[in-house]
C-alpha cells in the first residue's frame, strides 16, 4: 500500500526536473554534467516552465513536499532481500545431508518381534522395491509405533534407518506447529516434498499425536487443517505419483487412541506395532545389551536381575545401569580411602610426566599449572575428616596423574552395586498409583497358619516360581477373598503376602475409585488393571471390597452397577490377567455381588475367624516381643491371663491390650520421674510392663466383636460352605453344623 501511494504521488508530481539523474540525491546541486541549472524550484512552484515534464526514460524526482523517504526504499529492498534469502535457505535445505544415524539394531534388545515386523514392512520396500513392482503388490506406506514412554520407539526407528543406510528425515511433531496461519501446513508440505526428492528414504515423525488429534474434538480450526494437510500428504506418496520410489513414513506415539481415525486406515498408517512393557526374558536381553559396554566383575546372572525389575522399560533399565555405575564409583573411592582396595604402583613414566616432557614451553615463573598439580592440597587433614567427600579428595591427592591400565584393572561394577541401585531407581510405571511394598513380614503375624499356607500357594509361589505352575497348566493365578470379623488380621495378611512375594503392589482402599462424574469410576478401575498388567507380576489388593462391588439389584444405582460390571470384566474378560493377582478383604461377604465369587474371579474364599485360646497365646507372644517385661515368668502369667479371660478377643483387641498396658507402665514411670526429678534416660531404662498392667488393660478393653455378631458370622460361614477355616473356640461343633447344612 505504501508503494502504491508513493507511485501515485509521483504520477501527479509536475515539478520533476527531467535532466537530473535518478541516482542524484534530492539535495540541491549547483549544476549537472550538461551545465543546466539543477536547482529545484522553491516552494514547489507548479507554474515553473518545464520543457518535458514527464519523460518516459528517466524516472522523476519527487518534490520536497512529498519526498520518498529512504525508510520506504529500505523496506522495499528488505522485502526483496527476504525473498532472496528465503530462496537461498530453501536451496540450502534442499542440499542438506540427511545421513542415516549411527544407531544399530545390535544396540537394542528384547524387541525381536517388533524388529521382525519392521524388516517386513520397512526394510523390504526400501531395499527391494522391484519385488513389489514385479508381483504388483502395493507395499505399505506407513507404520505407527505405539507403547508406553521409554520402551524404545524412537531408538528403534533410528536403528532401522541406520541399518538400512537410507536418507533419514526425523522431525518432532510439535516443531511443525506455527503461530502464523498457514505456516504449519506449509512446513508439512515442504517436509514431504523433501522426502519425495530424497526417495527412497525414511521419514520419522516423533510424538505424532501432537499434530493429528481427532478432528471432531479439536479445539481450533488450525488443528483440523493440519490433520487434513497430513492426510493429503500421505496420499501423495503413492507409487504412481512417486515414479516407483518408495518413501516410508514412521510415526511414534504413546497415545494411539488420540489420533484421528482417518490416519489409521489402510493406505496411510497401514500397520501398527505395539511395543509394550518388556517381560522377564526381554528385560534380561536388554540388560545384556546395556551391560556389554560395562566392566563387570565375574559372571553375571541377568535372569535374576530381570526377575527383580518387574515393570521396568528400556529407559528405566538404562537408568539402573547408570545408577549402578555411580554406586560402584563411590564404593571404589571409599575402599581406596579405607585401604581395603590398594592400587598397584604405576610402572614406567606417568602420563603426566610424558605431557610435561612433550610441552617444555611453560616457563618456570608460570605457576598457574604446576607440574605435577596436586588437587585440594590446601585442605587440612582435620577438614578432610569432617567432610563427606574426604575419600574422593584423598584419592585425588594420592593420584594426581591419570591411572594406568594395571591400576584400572581392579576397578569394576559388582552385582551388589545393581542391588543397591534397585532401591534408588523407580520405574516409570510405578510413579503414579502404586503403593510401596509393605515392611510387614510373616514373623509379625501370629497364628493364622492355615490362611498363611493358602496364600503362600495362591500368590507367593506362582510369583516366585511361575515355570513350575506353567508346567502343570496353571497360567493365571486365582483371586483370593478374605472375609471374617473385623480385627482378625485380613489387611495384615495382605501386607505380609506383598512383602513375601516382593512383587509390585497396588492398594485400593475401599471406595476411593468412585467418582461423581459419569464414566470416571469405570475409567479408574480400568486404569488400575492396565497399570497392573504393565508391571506384572503385580498384586492388586482391594480393601473393604463390599463398598466397591455391592449387589446388583433394583435398589442399586446405575453408576454403581457400571462399576461392578467393569470390575467383573477386568477380572475375567477378553484381556488376559496373566501375572496380575487379585487379593480382596471384607467383613460383609453377604453384600458383595455373587458374580465376584465364581471360579475364575475371586474363586478362593478364606474365612479368617476369631483366634482360639492357643492362637491368642501365639498372637500375644508376637505382639509383646518388643515390650520390656518386668520379670522372667511375666510372659507365662500373661499367656495364662489371655487364655482364661480373653475369650472372643480378636488380634486387634490383643494389640490394644498391649498398648494400654504400656501406657499404664509409662504413666507410673512418669509419676516417679516428677518425684525424683531425675534424668529421662535413667527412668526410661527402668520402665517395665508388669502383669498387673495387663490385668488393668484387660479390665478396661473388651472384645470388639459382640456375641450377636459372632453368631451372625457363624451363620454366614454355614452359608458359604466348603471354606477353609482357621481359629474359633468351637471349631468342631461349627464344622459339624456346616456339614449338616450342606
Amino acid at each position: 500500500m505504501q508503494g502504491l501511494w508513493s507511485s501515485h504521488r509521483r504520477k501527479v508530481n509536475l515539478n520533476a526536473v527531467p535532466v537530473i539523474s535518478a541516482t542524484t540525491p534530492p539535495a540541491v546541486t549547483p549544476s549537472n554534467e550538461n551545465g543546466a541549472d539543477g536547482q529545484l524550484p522553491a516552494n514547489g512552484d507548479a507554474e515553473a516552465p518545464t520543457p518535458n515534464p514527464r519523460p518516459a526514460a528517466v524516472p522523476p524526482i519527487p518534490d520536497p513536499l512529498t519526498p520518498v523517504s529512504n525508510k520506504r526504499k529500505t523496506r522495499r529492498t528488505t522485502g526483496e532481500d527476504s525473498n532472496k534469502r528465503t530462496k537461498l535457505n530453501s536451496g540450502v535445505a534442499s542440499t542438506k545431508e540427511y545421513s542415516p544415524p549411527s544407531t544399530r539394531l545390535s544396540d537394542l534388545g528384547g524387541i525381536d518381534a517388533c524388529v521382525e515386523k519392521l524388516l517386513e514392512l520397512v526394510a523390504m520396500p526400501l531395499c527391494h522395491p522391484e519385488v513389489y513392482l514385479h508381483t504388483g503388490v502395493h507395499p505399505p506406506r506407513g507404520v505407527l509405533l505405539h507403547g508406553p514412554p521409554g520402551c524404545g520407539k524412537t531408538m528403534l526407528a533410528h536403528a532401522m534407518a541406520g541399518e538400512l543406510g537410507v536418507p533419514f528425515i526425523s522431525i518432532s511433531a510439535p516443531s511443525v506447529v506455527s503461530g502464523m496461519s498457514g505456516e504449519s501446513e506449509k512446513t508439512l508440505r515442504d517436509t514431504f516434498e523433501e522426502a519425495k526428492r530424497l526417495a527412497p528414504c525414511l521419514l520419522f515423525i516423533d510424538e505424532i499425536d501432537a499434530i493429528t488429534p481427532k478432528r471432531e474434538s479439536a479445539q481450533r480450526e488450525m488443528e483440523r487443517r493440519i490433520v487434513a494437510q497430513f492426510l493429503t500428504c500421505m496420499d501423495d506418496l503413492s507409487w504412481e505419483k512417486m515414479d516407483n520410489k518408495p518413501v516410508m513414513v514412521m510415526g511414534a506415539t504413546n497415545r494411539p487412541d488420540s489420533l484421528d481415525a482417518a490416519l489409521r486406515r489402510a493406505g496411510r498408517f497401514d500397520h501398527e506395532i505395539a511395543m509394550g512393557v518388556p517381560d522377564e526374558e526381554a528385560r534380561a536381553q536388554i540388560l545384556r545389551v546395556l551391560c556389554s559396554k560395562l566392566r563387570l566383575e565375574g559372571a553375571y546372572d541377568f535372569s535374576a536381575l530381570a526377575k527383580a525389575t518387574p515393570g521396568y522399560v528400556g529407559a528405566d533399565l538404562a537408568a539402573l545401569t547408570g545408577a549402578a555405575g555411580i554406586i560402584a564409583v563411590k564404593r571404589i573411592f571409599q575402599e581406596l580411602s579405607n585401604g581395603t582396595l590398594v592400587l598397584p604402583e604405576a610402572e614406567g613414566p606417568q602420563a603426566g610426566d610424558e605431557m610435561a616432557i612433550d610441552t617444555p614451553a611453560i616457563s618456570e615463573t608460570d605457576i598457574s599449572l604446576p607440574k605435577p598439580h596436586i588437587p585440594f592440597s590446601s585442605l587440612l587433614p582435620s577438614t578432610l575428616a569432617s567432610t563427606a567427600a574426604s575419600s574422593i579428595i584423598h584419592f585425588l591427592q594420592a593420584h594426581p596423574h591419570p591411572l594406568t591400565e594395571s591400576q584400572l584393572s581392579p576397578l569394576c561394577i559388582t552385582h551388589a552395586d545393581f542391588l543397591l541401585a534397585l532401591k534408588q531407581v523407580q520405574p516409570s510405571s510405578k510413579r503414579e498409583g502404586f503403593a510401596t511394598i509393605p515392611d510387614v513380614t510373616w514373623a509379625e503375624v501370629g497364628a493364622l497358619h492355615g490362611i498363611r499356607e493358602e496364600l503362600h500357594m495362591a500368590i507367593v509361589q506362582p510369583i516366585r516360581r511361575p515355570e513350575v505352575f506353567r508346567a502343570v497348566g496353571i497360567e493365571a493365578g486365582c483371586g483370593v477373598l478374605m472375609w471374617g470379623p473385623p480385627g482378625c488380621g485380613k489387611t495384615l495378611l495382605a501386607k505380609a503376602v506383598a512383602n513375601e512375594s516382593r512383587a509390585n503392589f497396588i492398594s485400593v482402599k475401599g471406595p476411593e475409585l468412585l467418582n461423581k462424574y459419569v464414566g470416571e469410576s469405570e475409567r479408574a478401575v480400568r486404569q488400575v488393571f492396565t497399570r497392573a498388567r504393565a508391571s506384572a507380576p503385580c498384586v492388586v489388593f482391594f480393601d473393604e471390597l463390599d463398598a466397591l462391588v455391592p449387589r446388583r439389584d433394583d435398589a442399586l444405582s446405575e453408576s454403581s452397577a457400571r462399576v461392578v460390571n467393569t470390575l467383573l470384566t477386568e477380572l475375567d474378560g477378553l484381556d488376559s490377567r496373566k501375572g496380575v493377582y487379585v487379593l480382596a478383604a471384607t467383613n460383609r461377604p453377604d453384600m458383595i455381588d455373587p458374580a465376584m465369587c465364581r471360579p475364575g474371579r475371586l474363586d478362593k474364599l478364606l474365612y479368617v475367624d476369631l483366634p482360639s485360646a492357643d492362637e491368642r497365646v501365639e498372637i500375644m507372644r508376637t505382639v509383646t516381643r518388643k515390650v520390656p517385661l518386668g520379670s522372667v515368668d511375666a510372659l507365662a502369667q500373661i499367656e495364662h491371663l489371655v487364655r482364661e479371660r480373653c475369650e472372643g478377643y480378636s488380634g486387634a483387641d490383643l494389640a490394644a491390650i498391649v498398648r494400654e498396658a504400656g501406657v499404664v507402665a509409662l504413666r507410673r514411670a512418669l509419676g516417679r520421674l516428677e518425684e525424683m526429678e531425675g534424668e529421662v534416660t535413667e527412668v526410661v531404662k527402668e520402665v517395665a510392663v508388669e502383669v498387673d498392667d495387663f490385668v488393668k488393660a484387660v479390665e478396661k478393653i473388651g472384645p470388639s466383636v459382640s456375641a450377636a455378631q459372632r453368631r451372625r458370622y457363624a451363620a454366614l460361614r454355614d452359608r458359604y460352605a466348603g471354606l477353609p477355616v482357621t481359629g474359633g473356640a468351637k471349631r468342631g461343633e461349627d464344622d459339624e453344623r456346616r456339614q449338616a447344612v450342606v
Side-chain angles (χ1 to χ4, degrees), residues 196-216:
K196 293 178 183 179
R197 188 186 65 83
L198 296 173
C201 69
L202 183 62
L203 174 60
F204 176 64
I205 305 175
D206 203 1
E207 303 296 341
I208 195 173
D209 57 284
I211 60 173
T212 56
K214 295 183 181 294
R215 283 177 286 182
E216 60 269 15

Side-chain angles (χ1 to χ4, degrees), residues 687-699:
V687 172
V689 184
E690 305 291 343
V691 179
D692 295 338
D693 300 333
F694 281 91
V695 173
K696 295 179 181 178
V698 170
E699 294 174 354

Side-chain angles (χ1 to χ4, degrees), residues 71-88:
K71 183 178 181 181
R72 191 174 297 123
K73 293 180 181 178
T74 305
R75 286 181 180 176
R76 289 197 297 270
T77 304
T78 305
E80 295 175 358
D81 291 343
S82 64
N83 293 335
K84 295 179 181 179
R85 189 178 300 110
T86 303
K87 295 179 181 178
L88 182 61

Side-chain angles (χ1 to χ4, degrees), residues 54 63 73 125 142 212 292 321 323 332 355 388 494 505 537 638 667 718:
R54 300 180 66 84
D63 60 333
K73 293 180 181 178
T212 56
S292 61
T321 56
I332 290 170
M355 293 177 59
F505 185 67
I638 294 172
R667 187 182 296 115
D718 292 337

Side-chain angles (χ1 to χ4, degrees), residues 107-295:
D107 299 332
L108 305 176
I111 52 173
D112 297 337
C114 299
V115 170
E116 181 181 356
K117 196 72 174 175
L118 278 182
L119 290 176
E120 173 189 346
L121 300 175
V122 177
M124 284 299 294
L126 286 177
C127 295
H128 293 284
E130 67 277 1
V131 176
Y132 294 89
L133 290 174
H134 178 72
T135 56
V137 178
H138 291 280
R141 195 173 303 171
V143 178
L144 181 65
L145 302 176
H146 62 87
C151 62
K153 301 181 292 294
T154 304
M155 192 173 183
L156 177 59
H158 284 74
M160 184 59 63
E163 289 287 349
L164 297 178
V166 296
F168 183 64
I169 304 176
S170 177
I171 61 173
S172 177
S175 64
V176 175
V177 182
S178 175
M180 299 291 292
S181 179
E183 286 294 326
S184 304
E185 297 89 324
K186 183 179 182 301
T187 305
L188 270 179
R189 290 193 299 269
D190 293 344
T191 302
F192 277 85
E193 288 296 331
E194 187 71 15
K196 293 178 183 179
R197 188 186 65 83
L198 296 173
C201 69
L202 183 62
L203 174 60
F204 176 64
I205 305 175
D206 203 1
E207 303 296 341
I208 195 173
D209 57 284
I211 60 173
T212 56
K214 295 183 181 294
R215 283 177 286 182
E216 60 269 15
S217 60
Q219 300 295 329
R220 294 179 296 175
E221 188 65 29
M222 181 190 68
E223 298 177 357
R224 299 186 179 93
R225 292 199 309 268
I226 293 177
V227 175
Q229 182 64 65
F230 192 88
L231 298 178
T232 306
C233 293
M234 288 287 290
D235 293 337
D236 291 340
L237 295 180
S238 61
W239 279 40
E240 292 80 7
K241 300 179 182 180
M242 293 290 299
D243 295 334
N244 300 327
K245 294 182 179 179
V247 174
M248 298 302 301
V249 182
M250 293 182 63
T253 179
N254 50 13
R255 301 172 58 215
D257 295 334
S258 64
L259 268 66
D260 191 79
L263 193 66
R264 304 174 69 177
R265 73 160 177 84
R268 287 162 183 165
F269 281 117
D270 306 79
H271 299 272
E272 298 181 1
I273 299 177
M275 300 181 62
V277 177
D279 55 5
E280 182 178 335
E281 183 179 356
R283 291 196 300 270
Q285 296 179 9
I286 295 174
L287 286 171
R288 287 190 183 94
V289 173
L290 292 175
C291 296
S292 61
K293 300 179 181 179
L294 302 179
R295 183 176 293 273

Side-chain angles (χ1 to χ4, degrees), residues 1-6:
M1 292 177 66
Q2 292 177 351
L4 292 175
W5 178 80
S6 301

